[in-house]
Amino acid sequence: PQGHAKHTKGTHKRIGAPSRPSPRPCHRLRAYTPSQPRHHPGRLSTLAMARLFLDQEALTQYKDRKFLGSLDDYLECLRTSTTLYVGNVSFFTTEEQIWEIFRKVGVVRTIVMGLDKNVLTPCGFCFVEFHNRGDAERAVKYLNGTKLDDREIRIDFDWGFEDGRQFGRGKSGGQVRDEYRTFFDEGRGGYGKLLKAELDNRA
C-alpha cells in the first residue's frame, strides 16, 4: 500500500511502505593524495587520457566533485556501479513515479530522492540503484531522455550513493543550477532562488 511522504533530516521515507536499504557506494574507492603528474614528451598523462575517456565515452555527463579518489578510480566505479544519478527532475515528481518508470527495465533495489538541505523538500534529482549492472545499463539506454512531468530526465551512471549526497549543495539549500536561473521554470521553483532574493533586495 502507498503511504504519504514523510521528510526527516537525512531521510525520505513513505509511512506504511517497507524500508529499503540505501544504495551502496563503490567499494573500489581508495585513498588518494594529489601529486604533480609526470610529463613525457609525445605522451598523454594518465590523468589526461582518463579525462579524454570521460569526455568521449557514454558513461556519464555528470562528475561528482566530492568523490575522494582519482579520476581512474571514478571511472572504474562507473564501469561497475549499479547506481544511477537522475537529474532534471521536477520538484513535484514523486518517488512512486520514479519507481513506476525504472521498474520497467529491471528490479529496483532502492531510490533516494534529492532534498533541499534546509527545508527537506524534493529539489530535482534522485539516485536509483538496481540489483545488477545489466538492469542499470538498460535504464540508461532506454530511459534517458524520458519525459516525466513534462521534463526530459537525465540519467547517468553514478559511483554510488552514501549518506549526505541526498542533499542539495547550493547556498540556498537546493541544487546549484537553481540558484541563479534567469528564466522562470515552473517545475523547479520559478526563478533562481538567489537571483530572486537579490532582485527583491533591490526593489
Side-chain angles (χ1 to χ4, degrees), residues 144-164:
N144 188 34
T146 295
K147 273 208 169 185
L148 178 60
D149 286 334
D150 294 323
R151 307 185 70 87
E152 291 187 3
I153 58 175
R154 187 185 73 251
I155 305 172
D156 291 304
F157 290 108
D158 185 81
W159 65 273
F161 175 82
E162 63 181 18
D163 192 41

Side-chain angles (χ1 to χ4, degrees), residues 10 117 125 127 161-169:
K117 62 186 174 185
F125 70 98
F127 297 93
F161 175 82
E162 63 181 18
D163 192 41
R165 293 189 67 203
Q166 70 268 44
F167 299 119
R169 296 174 181 171

Side-chain angles (χ1 to χ4, degrees), residues 134-203:
D135 289 345
E137 291 178 350
R138 279 191 290 275
V140 173
K141 181 177 181 179
Y142 296 114
L143 300 182
N144 188 34
T146 295
K147 273 208 169 185
L148 178 60
D149 286 334
D150 294 323
R151 307 185 70 87
E152 291 187 3
I153 58 175
R154 187 185 73 251
I155 305 172
D156 291 304
F157 290 108
D158 185 81
W159 65 273
F161 175 82
E162 63 181 18
D163 192 41
R165 293 189 67 203
Q166 70 268 44
F167 299 119
R169 296 174 181 171
K171 294 179 181 179
S172 64
Q175 289 192 282
V176 175
R177 60 171 291 192
D178 295 312
E179 304 278 66
Y180 288 97
R181 183 171 48 249
T182 58
F183 61 91
F184 189 85
D185 188 337
E186 184 176 1
R188 295 183 68 94
Y191 292 107
K193 290 183 179 180
L194 295 184
L195 177 63
K196 185 177 184 301
E198 289 182 4
L199 293 176
D200 290 342
N201 290 334
R202 295 177 184 177

